[in-house]
Amino acid sequence: MPCAIRPHNDEDALRQAADILQAGGVVGVPTETVYGLAGRADLPEGVARIYQTKGRPQFNPLIAHVDSLERARALIVFSPMMVRLADAFWPGPLTLVGPKRDDAQVCDLVTAGLDTLAVRWPRSSAICALVKALDCPLAAPSANPSGTISPTTAQHVGEGFGDALALVLDGGTCPVGLESTILAVEGDEVTLLRPGGLDRAQIEAITGPLKAAGEGGAPRAPGMLKSHYAPSVAMRLNAQHPRPGEAYLAFGQSPDNFTGPMINLSPTQNLVEAASTLFASLKALDRHGLTISVAPIPFDGLGEAINDRLIRAAAPKEIL
Ligand code: TXA
Ligand code: MG
């Protein structure tokens, strides 16, 4: 049976999704960042099926998605700094990593044995409705086969998994288009584990300067592999001009006299627009089978996360 794509706000579709999750299955769900591949966080079978469906060889810890601050507080111990961050940015594209509570409603496979847990309250009516209906957090990585580009439409999810997935809830194109920003919080110390859809300046207005992952013993995200989010073709970054025989991902003014395949992330140099179309544009250019050269993108605002994803996409592939 091919994967069914059904509207995310259709009651019957939500009921079908809840039934699949209840039985230990997985469902594709929209969020404002990227689509997630969700399973019940407290069912080892459901979480194992996430890893199996993604083809993720190692047990890299997952984010537990919740529908309220109250449910988040039942999972991890909140420091005053975490409360301030949650108040400012939830629901939204921010994941907080904190000390896992002993009685947290997640199985060990979600944390891959760590004593910390990543938690996010997304802007996703479907996830919130399912969490409420099941009375359980949902574990969800991005809904793409391991090592490929994260999906920003329900069609991407369907194409990625084919028969291996029964249902994707369709919420249209993800407005942010990049995965959430991940912060580890230890007391007042806040470490940036992954740049993402919430930019540094907004966070630092609350936290002060962020620590870098790995700096002076600061934590890292186990999943931050060098090569990730990768298209199948080679990539060339910071290319002021495309070469003949390449495909070009432009930003700002498009080059004159280039006749190859080209997509412009944002003719007006708007980084929010560029973030929202980055993954879909890489996927579309990948289909031509040509090296993708990419225009220079500034590092400010969401540019930090865009450049992070591009550098990973261009890195030599590791065996994941
Ligand atoms: O926007 C997003 O964050 C999407 C949507 C679906 O919510 N999810 C997502 O999940 O990108 P995933 O599994 O692709 O990335 C989660 C990252 C991984 O790099 C993982 O290593 C890190 O979070 N992580 C999870 N738990 C952690 C923990 N306890 N400590 C440090 N890093 C953790
Ligand atoms: Mg991912």
Side-chain angles (χ1 to χ4, degrees):
M1 274 252 290
C3 176
I5 298 182
R6 305 188 62 190
H8 71 138
N9 48 9
D10 178 289
E11 278 195 20
D12 188 61
L14 283 167
R15 223 173 352 253
Q16 186 191 357
D19 289 346
I20 292 171
L21 293 166
Q22 194 63 20
V26 295
V27 174
V29 284
T31 85
E32 76 278 45
T33 57
V34 298
Y35 276 72
L37 186 66
R40 266 190 83 118
D42 63 345
L43 274 189
E45 191 193 338
V47 179
R49 194 158 322 262
I50 293 174
Y51 287 107
Q52 182 204 35
T53 307
K54 268 187 80 83
R56 205 184 240 192
Q58 82 279 53
F59 292 146
N60 180 11
L62 302 174
I63 299 170
H65 295 73
V66 298
D67 61 338
S68 64
L69 187 57
E70 194 189 341
R71 206 182 290 274
R73 296 187 87 140
L75 297 178
I76 53 178
V77 181
F78 269 68
S79 65
M81 177 62 89
M82 285 167 90
V83 174
R84 288 169 66 196
L85 288 164
D87 280 347
F89 301 118
W90 276 357
L94 173 69
T95 295
L96 294 174
V97 175
K100 179 167 107 62
R101 285 189 181 277
D102 287 341
D103 58 353
Q105 196 187 3
V106 297
C107 62
D108 286 341
L109 214 40
V110 172
T111 55
L114 297 176
D115 53 13
T116 55
L117 174 65
V119 179
R120 180 160 96 89
W121 176 7
R123 278 201 303 267
S124 165
S125 62
I127 287 190
C128 291
L130 289 168
V131 167
K132 208 161 279 153
L134 298 167
D135 195 21
C136 176
L138 290 175
S142 49
N144 51 297
S146 192
T148 66
I149 296 166
S150 293
T152 52
T153 67
Q155 287 69 30
H156 291 163
V157 181
E159 285 162 18
F161 294 119
D163 297 355
L165 186 64
L167 176 66
V168 185
L169 296 173
D170 187 353
T173 301
C174 301
V176 175
L178 291 172
E179 296 86 349
S180 61
T181 300
I182 305 182
L183 300 177
V185 187
E186 291 167 308
D188 273 353
E189 298 241 300
V190 186
T191 304
L192 179 63
L193 296 184
R194 176 177 75 181
L198 181 67
D199 71 56
R200 175 189 286 274
Q202 290 190 65
I203 298 165
E204 289 186 335
I206 291 180
T207 60
L210 293 170
K211 285 177 75 175
E215 181 189 86
R220 296 171 189 274
M224 293 303 279
L225 297 165
K226 223 187 238 155
S227 162
H228 200 27
Y229 314 102
S232 63
V233 297
M235 295 189 47
R236 191 167 70 84
L237 303 184
N238 290 318
Q240 294 282 1
H241 299 285
R243 296 175 184 152
E246 289 183 336
Y248 193 53
L249 192 58
F251 179 77
Q253 201 181 354
S254 294
D256 296 333
N257 307 325
F258 180 65
T259 53
M262 179 171 71
I263 295 178
N264 198 325
L265 285 175
S266 174
T268 59
Q269 303 196 322
N270 178 329
L271 288 164
V272 175
E273 181 188 23
S276 72
T277 56
L278 176 69
F279 290 146
S281 303
L282 282 173
K283 263 179 203 289
L285 289 181
D286 194 3
R287 296 203 180 101
H288 297 281
L290 305 170
T291 293
I292 301 173
S293 58
V294 184
I297 309 227
F299 274 78
D300 53 303
L302 288 186
E304 183 176 10
I306 294 172
N307 278 293
D308 171 81
R309 301 309 187 269
L310 285 170
I311 289 163
R312 283 171 211 288
K317 315 261 184 301
E318 290 170 14
I319 308 289
L320 298 184

